[in-house]
Amino acid sequence: MSGLDLLAPEHHGLFIDGTWREAEGGASFAVIDPADGSELTTVADGSVADAVAALDAAVAAQASWAKTPPRTRGEILRKAFELINERSDDLAHLMSLEMGKPVAEAKGEVTYGNEFFRWFSEEAPRIHGRWMENPVGGSRLLTVRKPVGPCFFITPWNFPLAMGTRKIGPAIAAGCTMVVKPAEQTPLTMLALAAILTEAGLPEGVLNVVTTTSAPKVSAAVQADPRLRKISFTGSTPVGRLLVKQAADNLQRMSMELGGNAPFIVFEDADIDAAVEGAMIAKMRNMGEACTAANRFLVHADVAEEFATKLTSQMGSLVVGRGQDEGTQVGPLIDEKAVDSVTALVSGAVEGGAKLLTGGSAPSGPGYFFTPTVLLDVAADAEINSQEIFGPVAPITVFTTEDEAVTKANATEYGLASYVYTRDLSRTIRIAESLEYGMVGVNTGLLSNPAAPFGGMKSSGFGREGGFEGIEEYLETTYVGIAAD
Ligand code: NAD
């Protein structure tokens, strides 16, 4: 490896107030390689007191960081963007080790995640308020945009870098300080990011990272502190609900990027080869462990057989293996619990009458692998249609009318990503307006883009990351009324 030695123990402590330190009592926990269950290394296991110390540092740094010129804040992000680009191979390798995804895919995440730093480096100097004449005369109305203040970020394991940069980028641009708690399965990428941001010139205390196995206690304590002004969470809906409740006492600002149950609708007029290609991306990116992953394939009866046959052929030929091996297309799932959950959903669908076209089980041997799977004629009420699968399984349900497709697509508590394949422009407009989702992909299986507002509705949460909307989540507005003749 060149540049930073990303597995070096000096970067495995807590990162608080610009220094690496041990957790209270020297506690640590193991980071596991999901390809074989072995221990990769250990990192500090932060306590509640450690998390409060991190918040102290963020609070102490807030005033001077807010006064740092926007251009300076943007240039630190830009420098970090360049450093990440230089070290993208190292970062991708590290992420593949702790998370399991193939190195090539991890590299894609580094590129994607890093674009949030570039985007928000450009947004920092564009923060602005307005000047307006009172419509009835007699005064001027000004708005001043200010950073929200110290933030707390909780990120998941599935995109260890991008789920961090989507929050850290706009927070730095807006002038907020922060405490970040990465997922316990994948702490190393976030620690490497902290080292890179420091090298890029981020002042002490602006970004603090607390790795811990005590997420519930740490979050409860940090949220109970009235100095915390905002929480941004990416993760499961049940944990999101808990954090929203915990935010009530101090009325913290919140962004909630929660679970999804994306429909992937293929109409009879679609280009079926393009739909299969899009399906492979929407389903198999990140081994299906994505909140945007196509969860339910709704395919018109006229083209269902062709679509299922072509999808099965592609899913059945994917190479499953260790993420760092040349040629691997599908890595392991994150842990044994994930394999058990996917296995149960597939068995339930088959017991309910679905036809298994390929895959269907976990291969024997070490690691948390699951074979890419296609199921046809899945019953509408099958558990697999209402739960987030988070694995390489494509369940297909057939429909006959547009109304039926829309009704089925919206029949879920979630509302994050959705996909539709059609060549009919009027239908595209009708569908985009009828789907109760924060994002609709038309003839594409890839929606995520740093220049676009990513986020959901209903039980998928609220708030947007990326796009022009992304920085709004980190800004307050003060209105100033000035008497004038
Ligand atoms: P999770 O909710 O179990 O964990 C996410 C994070 O929350 C981790 O850092 C974990 O340590 C922490 N956490 C767990 N319990 C907590 C508690 N009681 N208090 C505070 N923090 C707690 O989710 P996961 O299994 O790690 O991630 C997968 C989920 O994330 C899926 O539901 C997926 O859809 C969702 N996700 C959403 C988006 C999005 O942008 N909408 C993106 C990626 C993943």
Side-chain angles (χ1 to χ4, degrees):
M1 275 195 258
S2 63
L4 270 179
D5 182 1
L6 296 168
L7 274 171
E10 67 261 29
H11 292 145
H12 292 180
L14 307 175
F15 185 66
I16 298 177
D17 208 12
T19 55
W20 298 92
R21 58 164 95 160
E22 279 197 345
E24 189 185 23
S28 65
F29 66 94
V31 184
I32 303 300
D33 178 350
D36 59 15
S38 68
E39 181 178 315
L40 282 170
T41 185
T42 59
V43 297
D45 193 356
S47 66
V48 166
D50 291 322
V52 172
L55 182 60
D56 290 343
V59 170
Q62 180 58 57
S64 66
W65 183 235
K67 287 202 192 95
T68 304
R71 177 77 75 201
T72 308
R73 300 198 301 257
E75 279 172 1
I76 291 170
L77 278 177
R78 176 70 199 201
K79 176 75 182 156
F81 166 79
E82 279 157 14
L83 291 172
I84 290 170
N85 271 347
E86 277 168 26
R87 294 170 195 165
S88 64
D89 286 342
D90 291 359
L91 282 162
H93 188 81
L94 181 76
M95 196 194 302
S96 170
L97 278 173
E98 65 175 348
M99 190 278 168
K101 67 180 78 183
V103 170
E105 243 193 284
K107 218 165 161 193
E109 182 182 337
V110 174
T111 304
Y112 162 63
N114 201 17
E115 281 299 325
F116 287 94
F117 278 3
R118 174 150 69 173
W119 177 265
F120 287 108
S121 75
E122 293 160 352
E123 286 296 275
R126 297 199 168 81
I127 298 166
H128 62 279
R130 66 170 189 259
W131 171 284
M132 176 179 171
E133 192 175 338
N134 184 341
V136 296
S139 65
R140 298 293 178 271
L141 321 180
L142 277 69
T143 61
V144 184
R145 310 308 308 281
K146 299 173 179 171
V148 168
C151 302
F152 184 41
F153 298 153
I154 304 177
T155 56
W157 48 264
N158 58 348
F159 294 99
L161 185 119
M163 298 303 104
T165 56
R166 293 211 295 202
K167 303 180 193 309
I168 295 166
I172 287 179
C176 295
T177 60
M178 65 212 85
V179 176
V180 185
K181 192 217 80 62
E184 48 273 46
Q185 297 92 334
T186 56
L188 302 175
T189 305
M190 187 62 72
L191 295 172
L193 204 55
I196 287 174
L197 279 161
T198 304
E199 206 180 325
L202 195 68
E204 287 169 6
V206 174
L207 172 99
N208 305 277
V209 181
V210 176
T211 49
T212 180
T213 54
S214 310
K217 279 192 206 147
V218 157
S219 305
V222 172
Q223 282 193 275
D225 194 315
R227 299 173 301 167
L228 182 76
R229 294 313 315 144
K230 178 181 169 79
I231 174 158
S232 177
F233 171 70
T234 300
S236 61
T237 297
V239 174
R241 288 200 171 99
L242 175 78
L243 298 173
V244 171
K245 285 183 191 145
Q246 287 179 177
D249 280 347
N250 289 319
L251 294 173
Q252 280 137 10
R253 287 269 300 266
M254 285 178 288
S255 305
M256 290 285 142
E257 300 286 350
L258 309 178
N261 181 4
F264 188 104
I265 311 171
V266 183
F267 282 101
E268 66 278 21
D269 63 75
D271 174 338
I272 299 303
D273 289 334
V276 171
E277 198 185 310
M280 290 301 290
I281 296 166
K283 178 73 256 180
M284 293 308 294
R285 178 164 168 251
N286 225 40
M287 290 82 77
E289 293 174 313
C291 51
T292 50
N295 214 55
R296 297 170 292 148
F297 288 85
L298 304 173
V299 186
H300 192 276
D302 289 356
V303 292
E305 198 182 321
E306 181 188 355
F307 178 83
T309 305
K310 289 181 169 170
L311 185 66
T312 301
S313 152
Q314 293 218 21
M315 290 282 276
S317 62
L318 289 171
V319 179
V320 180
R322 170 178 271 285
Q324 304 85 55
D325 287 351
E326 192 73 31
T328 292
Q329 292 168 295
V330 184
L333 299 187
I334 192 69
D335 54 24
E336 198 169 342
K337 215 170 89 203
V339 175
D340 291 347
S341 151
V342 173
T343 306
L345 288 173
V346 170
S347 311
V350 171
E351 278 158 25
K355 290 187 210 98
L356 181 64
L357 301 186
T358 186
S361 58
S364 56
Y368 312 124
F369 295 92
F370 198 90
T371 313
T373 299
V374 179
L375 297 163
L376 183 59
D377 292 332
V378 177
D381 61 353
E383 183 104 14
I384 204 164
N385 276 333
S386 62
Q387 298 271 325
E388 200 172 20
I389 303 170
F390 248 57
V393 181
I396 302 174
T397 302
V398 176
F399 69 86
T400 49
T401 68
E402 187 178 307
D403 278 353
E404 184 191 351
V406 172
T407 304
K408 282 186 164 147
N410 286 338
T412 168
E413 66 171 305
Y414 296 105
L416 188 63
S418 57
Y419 305 89
V420 55
Y421 273 76
T422 178
R423 284 185 277 204
D424 180 331
L425 182 58
S426 299
R427 172 179 273 157
T428 301
I429 294 167
R430 281 196 303 276
I431 297 284
E433 289 179 353
S434 328
L435 288 175
E436 295 162 358
Y437 287 83
M439 299 177 281
V440 182
V442 179
N443 297 327
T444 176
L446 186 64
L447 273 165
S448 300
N449 187 318
F454 185 106
M457 49 181 77
K458 295 162 72 181
S459 293
S460 292
F462 42 79
R464 293 293 179 270
E465 293 189 319
F468 301 116
E469 291 82 354
I471 201 156
E472 293 296 325
E473 307 274 325
Y474 296 90
L475 294 171
E476 281 287 11
T477 300
T478 296
Y479 146 60
V480 184
I482 305 178
D485 296 333

